[in-house]
Amino acid sequence: GQQVMQIPQYQHVQEGEDFTTYCNSSTTLSNIQWYKQRPGGHPVFLIQLVKSGEVKKQKRLTFQFGEAKKNSSLHITATQTTDVGTYFCLIGFQKLVFGTGTRLLVSP
Amino acid sequence: DTEVTQTPKHLVMGMTNKKSLKCEQHMGHRAMYWYKQKAKKPPELMFVYSYEKLSINESVPSRFSPECPNSSLLNLHLHALQPEDSALYLCASSQEAAGGFETQYFGPGTRLLVL
């Protein structure tokens, strides 16, 4: 079935460092969503990207949709301990499929 | 109110038991979802209800039986589960499912352990 790979699987950073996770699809997407799941919590919607090459910012978070609409990235500038969690992309091509996720650990 | 509630928070059941998970939302959403999430894995879609009708069943075994009594409530009936069914069961809702890919609001989940 449809597989949506995210890299890296896991990243451990020092507070203040930047972080990026990438979401790659084997098919061209109509749109993509990003969610954050804190440890022991549930997924929380962050953003939806629709247009080719789209870039959206939310404070320290920058989301990008690839020109070919097959990949997306989430970049966090100057991480904080509150950024800890797993970041998932979600695609809705034919069926709803979450990416494999990137687990972020931030040390103070 | 942007909350989705789920009960119970935790559930331990034997393989011969029958139990139900409940989910409720009061946002006027017309699409509701059940996901299963194993530890360190992404959520996997199980069922989607749209306007109280089952619109998607992702080939889920019949020991899981969903029910949508009204637009605010979603149940998942469990019977004769296996230990490998132990997982976090997440409910979500969105405004509509048909023809769209919408923001989903997730409940806190039910942690299920099958012994």
Side-chain angles (χ1 to χ4, degrees):
Chain A
Q2 174 86 23
Q3 272 217 317
V4 185
M5 301 303 295
Q6 281 185 250
I7 52 171
Q9 265 191 310
Y10 169 79
Q11 189 153 10
H12 185 177
V13 300
Q14 292 293 122
E15 195 171 23
E17 292 181 337
D18 291 357
F19 160 78
T20 305
T21 173
Y22 299 90
C23 176
N24 299 301
S25 167
S26 53
T27 53
T28 302
L29 306 170
S30 57
N31 48 22
I32 193 165
Q33 294 178 354
W34 284 92
Y35 288 79
K36 176 185 178 181
Q37 186 172 21
R38 290 180 190 273
H42 57 275
V44 175
F45 174 79
L46 294 175
I47 209 146
Q48 176 159 296
L49 304 171
V50 178
K51 297 177 188 173
S52 167
E54 187 171 18
V55 177
K56 285 189 176 179
K57 295 192 179 199
Q58 286 179 352
K59 297 184 180 177
R60 293 178 297 104
L61 276 60
T62 302
F63 303 84
Q64 191 158 5
F65 204 3
E67 293 291 340
K69 298 182 79 173
K70 285 189 173 183
N71 54 67
S72 180
S73 64
L74 158 56
H75 179 81
I76 303 179
T77 303
T79 53
Q80 299 175 358
T81 53
T82 52
D83 295 325
V84 165
T86 301
Y87 293 85
F88 292 104
C89 57
L90 174 64
I91 67 168
F93 180 81
Q94 294 183 343
K95 57 185 280 187
L96 291 171
V97 179
F98 275 92
T100 48
T102 295
R103 193 155 65 100
L104 173 64
L105 184 60
V106 181
S107 294
Chain B
D1 182 5
T2 57
E3 195 181 12
V4 177
T5 58
Q6 288 187 244
T7 55
K9 282 188 171 35
H10 300 275
L11 178 63
V12 180
M13 61 186 288
M15 290 189 284
T16 57
N17 292 160
K18 280 187 184 181
K19 297 285 184 184
S20 296
L21 310 185
K22 295 186 185 304
C23 174
E24 191 166 4
Q25 57 88 13
H26 294 289
M27 295 178 276
H29 289 173
R30 303 314 300 266
M32 296 185 77
Y33 310 73
W34 279 116
Y35 287 87
K36 173 182 176 181
Q37 185 176 28
K38 302 280 270 184
K40 294 187 173 20
K41 296 290 185 185
E44 291 179 19
L45 184 65
M46 299 174 73
F47 303 104
V48 181
Y49 272 82
S50 182
Y51 291 88
E52 299 160 46
K53 288 188 175 10
L54 183 65
S55 62
I56 296 177
N57 175 345
E58 292 290 353
S59 305
V60 179
S62 59
R63 57 186 184 270
F64 295 91
S65 174
E67 179 198 17
C68 190
N70 60 56
S71 59
S72 301
L73 289 173
L74 186 65
N75 298 323
L76 186 62
H77 303 298
L78 314 173
H79 173 55
L81 294 194
Q82 304 296 308
E84 59 264 28
D85 296 321
S86 299
L88 178 67
Y89 287 84
L90 292 160
C91 172
S93 70
S94 67
Q95 240 174 336
E96 294 182 31
F101 175 29
E102 305 208 330
T103 300
Q104 294 185 48
Y105 295 83
F106 283 82
T110 294
R111 289 202 183 274
L112 173 67
L113 178 62
V114 182
L115 299 175

